DNA sequence: AAAAATTTTTAGATTTGTCTAAATAATGAA
DNA sequence: TTCATTATTTAGACAAATCTAAAAATTTTT
C-alpha cells in the first residue's frame, strides 16, 4: 500500500516517462510543485520500496511494480473523469482537479463497478485511453493534427494538452471530441492549419494543431 | 480549510454529541482508534481554529462553524452511500469504508451535482437522514421497533446500528429498508418481538428490535 | 580540458499527527 | 473526606513529507 503522496509521485513519473527516460529530479520537482531536495528524498523511499530504479544524479525509471501501480491510478483518474462528464454533466475542463482527488480512493470493487456502470469506456473525456483492470491499453492510431496534409480527413479523438484555457479555446472553435474535420490547407510561413468543421472554415495555429489528436478516416 | 484528519475528528465529535454533551476525550479516542493524549492535542488545535469549544478535563462541544463543517461531511458521506447502493449495486453493509474516504473529496460542485444525479435523496441506505446543502435535516418521525405494541404497523426506514454483522442478520430476516411490518406479539419474559414481514412470521430479540427504526402507518 | 553554470544530493530544521511515560485533575468508594 | 481509581493533560520523542542552505556531481561553455 502506498501513501497518497507516493501515488502522486508514481503517477507523475509515469507521465514524464513518456517524454524522457529516465526521469530527472528537476522534471518531477517542477511538475509537482516541490523542491528538488524533497523529490530526492521521496525517490529514495520509492526506490527502497522497489517501485522505481534510481541511480544517483541519473534520474529514475519505474519498476514493473511501480508502473502497474501508476497505471492503476491513471485508470482510476480517467474513469472518474468519464463519470463526471457523462453522469454529472461536468465540462471537460472542469474535471481534472476533482479527479486528482478521486483517483486515490482505495477500493477495487468501487472501480470495477464504476467501470461497469460507465459501460467500460475506452477513452476519457479528453480522448486519453483508459487502461483495463490488467493495465492494458486499447491500441488507438492517433495522429497529431499538425501532421496531416491538405485533403486529409478524420475525427478528433484526443488532446495532449489539458489546461482549461486550451480546452475552452477548442470549445469556442467547436473542435471537441468526436467532431469530423478535413484539412483545407497548411500555411507554409507559420504552419497554421485551415480546416473544415461542421461546414465551417476555421484557422488554427501550428501550436494548437500539435495538441489535437486525430483518428484518420 | 480543514485537513482530512481534522474533518474526521469533527465528524466523530458530531456523532458523539448525540449521545453525550460535552464529548469526552476518551470517547473520541476509543471511536477513532487513537490514544487519548493525541486526541487532546487535536482538540486543542480545533479549539484554536474556532471549530470546537474546549474546557480542560470537561470535554468538547462543536461551535456553529464546527457543526456545519461536520454536517457537510455527514451529507457527503450519506450521498456517496446512496450512490454506491443505487448506482453501483453495493450492498448496504459494503458501503461504509468507501464512503469514509469519499466524504473527504473537496468540491461543492461535485456534491451538488451528485445530489441532483441521485434525485435529492432524503435518507441514505441505512435510513439515516441526509442534510440539505444548508445543513437542514428533513424531519422524520422514527420510532424504535422495540417501542411498538402488538397490532402496530409501519415501514422500516432506518437502523441505528451499522455493523456489517447486524446488517447481514437483518438481510437474512428480510428486514430491509422499505419493508412493511406488523407486530404480532411482544414476549414479556425477554422483550423479543414476533412480527410479520412479507406474510412471514419472524421473531427478533429485543436487542435487534431496538436498532430498527420504523415510520408508523 | 579547465572554468563556469546547472543540477542533484546531503545535512539539518519544520510541521502534522501520532506515540509513551509521567504528572495532574476528577470521580467514586470506604 | 480522604484514599484509590480513572480520566485527562503535559512533556518529550518519532515518522512522513516538506523546506533552506550548502556541498557535490554533472553538463556546458570557452
Amino acid at each position: 500500500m502506498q501513501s497518497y503522496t507516493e501515488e502522486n509521485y508514481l503517477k507523475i513519473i509515469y507521465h514524464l516517462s513518456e517524454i524522457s527516460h529516465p526521469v530527472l529530479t528537476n522534471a518531477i520537482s517542477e511538475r509537482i510543485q516541490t523542491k528538488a531536495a524533497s523529490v530526492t528524498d521521496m525517490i529514495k523511499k520509492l526506490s527502497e520500496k522497489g517501485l522505481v530504479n534510481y541511480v544517483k544524479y541519473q534520474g529514475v525509471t519505474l519498476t514493473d511494480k511501480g508502473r502497474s501501480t501508476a497505471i492503476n491510478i491513471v485508470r482510476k483518474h480517467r474513469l472518474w473523469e468519464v463519470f463526471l462528464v457523462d453522469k454529472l454533466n461536468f465540462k471537460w475542463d472542469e474535471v481534472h482537479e476533482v479527479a486528482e482527488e478521486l483517483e486515490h480512493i482505495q477500493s477495487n470493487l468501487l472501480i470495477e463497478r464504476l467501470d461497469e456502470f460507465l459501460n467500460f469506456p475506452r477513452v476519457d473525456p479528453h480522448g486519453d485511453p483508459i487502461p483495463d483492470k490488467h493495465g492494458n491499453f486499447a491500441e488507438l492510431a492517433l495522429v497529431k493534427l499538425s501532421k496531416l496534409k491538405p485533403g486529409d480527413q478524420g475525427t478528433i479523438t484526443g488532446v495532449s494538452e489539458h489546461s482549461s484555457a486550451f480546452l475552452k479555446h477548442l470549445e469556442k472553435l467547436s473542435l471537441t471530441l468526436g467532431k469530423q474535420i478535413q484539412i483545407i490547407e497548411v500555411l507554409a510561413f507559420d504552419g497554421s492549419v485551415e480546416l473544415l468543421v461542421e461546414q465551417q472554415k476555421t484557422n488554427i495555429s501550428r501550436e494548437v494543431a500539435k495538441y489535437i489528436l486525430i483518428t484518420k478516416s
Side-chain angles (χ1 to χ4, degrees), chain A residues 1-7 9-10 41-54 61-67 69:
Chain A
M1 197 85 305
Q2 289 77 231
S3 72
Y4 189 102
T5 311
E6 288 168 347
E7 287 192 351
Y9 272 87
L10 291 174
D41 288 344
M42 180 53 81
I43 281 172
K44 279 189 197 161
K45 189 175 161 193
L46 294 174
S47 174
E48 276 161 28
K49 287 192 169 190
L51 295 160
V52 300
N53 305 115
Y54 170 51
T61 56
L62 291 170
T63 61
D64 285 351
K65 189 173 157 201
R67 186 175 310 101
T69 304

Side-chain angles (χ1 to χ4, degrees), chain A residues 84-140:
Chain A
L84 294 173
V85 169
D86 285 10
K87 304 295 182 184
L88 300 194
N89 297 115
F90 276 61
K91 306 222 190 76
W92 69 345
D93 62 299
E94 292 175 329
V95 297
H96 191 71
E97 288 70 25
V98 184
E100 288 287 281
E101 290 190 57
L102 287 164
E103 72 191 6
H104 299 288
I105 303 292
Q106 302 290 354
S107 166
N108 291 329
L109 181 61
L110 172 63
I111 293 305
E112 298 328 315
R113 290 284 173 84
L114 183 64
D115 196 15
E116 189 183 344
F117 180 60
L118 299 172
N119 221 244
F120 307 102
R122 301 292 192 76
V123 293
D124 77 8
H126 309 99
D128 294 314
I130 301 175
D132 68 18
K133 71 168 108 173
H134 308 296
N136 301 315
F137 290 89
E139 281 305 323
L140 295 174

Side-chain angles (χ1 to χ4, degrees), chain A residues 156 169-177 179 181 197-198:
Chain A
I156 301 180
H169 179 60
L170 292 190
E171 203 128 13
K172 209 168 283 173
L173 298 168
S174 294
L175 296 171
T176 50
L177 289 207
K179 288 283 167 66
I181 58 116
V197 216
E198 298 179 321

